[in-house]
Amino acid sequence: MLGTPAFRLLLGARAVSTLCTGLDVVVLAWLVLALGGTPLHLAVMAALNAGAGVPAAFFGGPLIDRFSRRAVTVATELGRVLPLGAIPLLAGLGELRPWHVLVAGAVVSGLYSLSSASYSALLPELFDRTGLLRANGVWQAVSQVGVFIGAGLGGAAIPALGDTAPLLVGLAGRILTSGMLLAMPSRRTTKPATKRTSGLLFRDMTDAWRVLASHRRLLLAALFAAIPGSLISGINAVLPAFVKNDNGMGAAEYGLIDAAWGVGAFLAGLVCVKLSHAHDDPRYHTGSLLLTGCAMTLLATATNLPWSIALAAFVGGAALGSLVLFRAYVQAEAPPDYTGRILAVSQLVLSALWLAVALGLGTLTLILSVRMVIVCWGTAIICGGLTIHLLLRRYGTKEVSHAEGSD
């Protein structure tokens, strides 16, 4: 697996990219609070980020299938340079306002949603279905190395360099990532789809939904992958305020807690490498969501740094493991000509769910403590696990193997 040159470069690019993402997430979230923001501002930021992901995922799916998946991925990396570079510039001019951070975060999040689908769509081009779970396990483990290093680096860099200067490190990383992607050997890469539909993007996405509708378990996996995915994407709607306001900790502690999340996810990725066929067993899908919900609920009990680090690692591991199981199944079962669009459908649902979660969390912070909001979120995830269990019992046995789509 690691003997494939293209996979090694792809892993390296992903590690650098996620390092930059981990750093950006910590710096932007803490910057909102430094500019006088409240937990409600963080929830608004998360809602804007999620809202930006909806059109990015909808229009991005057909782009991934129509054009070079590598080129689309490079574009999503370089596209983040301008909005993030504007933040230190505005701060240097004394013109930085909270809404600037919110807008930059939304643009970056939209591009991140598209890159999540485009990166994921590259894996089936390198491996067959028997190697996809292992590839995803390695992939997610390496990704989380970048996340926890980036989060820890961001938390340490804020008191050392200031509130905005650490973002410049991320800009250099984006350029390096793009170079690694462009250097990736393309001899095993699937050619872009040449088929065209009269309805363009809307018709393309309609075709993806039709393929999903003919394969019930693929549909359920694509939809419910949004639950652990939204937890990974949206945790910063509550975690900074939980650390700073509820537990009285600083930016360095927040960076450590966010890094612990990544360490737990890294370990879960390594475990998934050993579960070669777990993504085909619906019991793992159900159990992973139930474990994630229980872990999230337990996080609310954290009141000091060691306990916060331990529970954050537990939540990160559970959420990442769940996402790997769902995503590997979708990659394995999606027809090759529809892989990008089906992954984009999953990302679209994720963004919509993240938007609903952000708005719901923002509303709850007006009447409940952040600690209680975390309990509500964990309980909702447990309900999601019970729901997919019931749906799989009802529909999961009626499979259509490798559903086909046509124009």
Side-chain angles (χ1 to χ4, degrees), residues 44-72:
V44 170
M45 183 179 185
L48 290 174
N49 291 352
V54 172
F58 183 86
F59 292 104
L63 293 177
I64 293 168
D65 284 334
R66 288 180 180 275
F67 302 101
S68 164
R69 293 170 182 176
R70 179 173 56 177
V72 173

Side-chain angles (χ1 to χ4, degrees), residues 209-301:
W209 280 107
R210 179 171 51 78
V211 172
L212 286 170
S214 67
H215 191 327
R216 293 290 180 84
R217 193 173 153 207
L218 177 60
L219 174 62
L220 290 174
L223 297 180
F224 278 82
I227 296 179
S230 67
L231 177 58
I232 293 171
S233 301
I235 187 62
N236 281 285
V238 294
L239 190 59
F242 179 62
V243 172
K244 185 175 188 292
N245 299 345
D246 285 41
N247 292 331
M249 301 178 192
E253 289 82 1
Y254 170 49
L256 288 174
I257 293 168
D258 207 17
W261 175 290
V263 172
F266 166 72
L267 295 175
L270 294 182
V271 171
C272 287
V273 173
K274 302 296 184 180
L275 303 175
S276 58
H277 298 289
H279 60 304
D280 289 324
D281 190 337
R283 292 175 298 179
Y284 282 95
H285 294 170
T286 298
S288 68
L289 283 184
L290 293 175
L291 180 62
T292 301
C294 292
M296 188 65 181
T297 304
L298 281 175
L299 180 63
T301 67

Side-chain angles (χ1 to χ4, degrees), residues 49-180:
N49 291 352
V54 172
F58 183 86
F59 292 104
L63 293 177
I64 293 168
D65 284 334
R66 288 180 180 275
F67 302 101
S68 164
R69 293 170 182 176
R70 179 173 56 177
V72 173
T73 307
V74 169
T76 64
E77 293 288 354
L78 293 178
R80 283 176 263 193
V81 171
L82 182 59
L84 290 174
I87 298 297
L89 178 61
L90 289 171
L93 296 173
E95 298 294 331
L96 184 62
R97 300 291 183 269
W99 71 267
H100 293 138
V101 182
L102 299 184
V103 171
V107 173
V108 169
S109 182
L111 291 170
Y112 175 77
S113 294
L114 178 52
S115 73
S116 293
S118 62
Y119 266 117
S120 188
L122 286 167
L123 290 180
E125 295 185 340
L126 301 177
F127 302 99
D128 58 24
R129 67 176 285 116
T130 60
L132 277 174
L133 183 61
R134 292 182 61 212
N136 272 277
V138 174
W139 172 261
Q140 294 293 351
V142 169
S143 298
Q144 295 309 314
V145 169
V147 169
F148 70 72
I149 291 176
L153 180 62
I158 291 172
L161 302 178
D163 292 332
T164 61
L167 293 174
L168 298 176
V169 178
L171 299 187
R174 300 293 177 197
I175 296 172
L176 175 61
T177 297
S178 300
M180 296 175 74

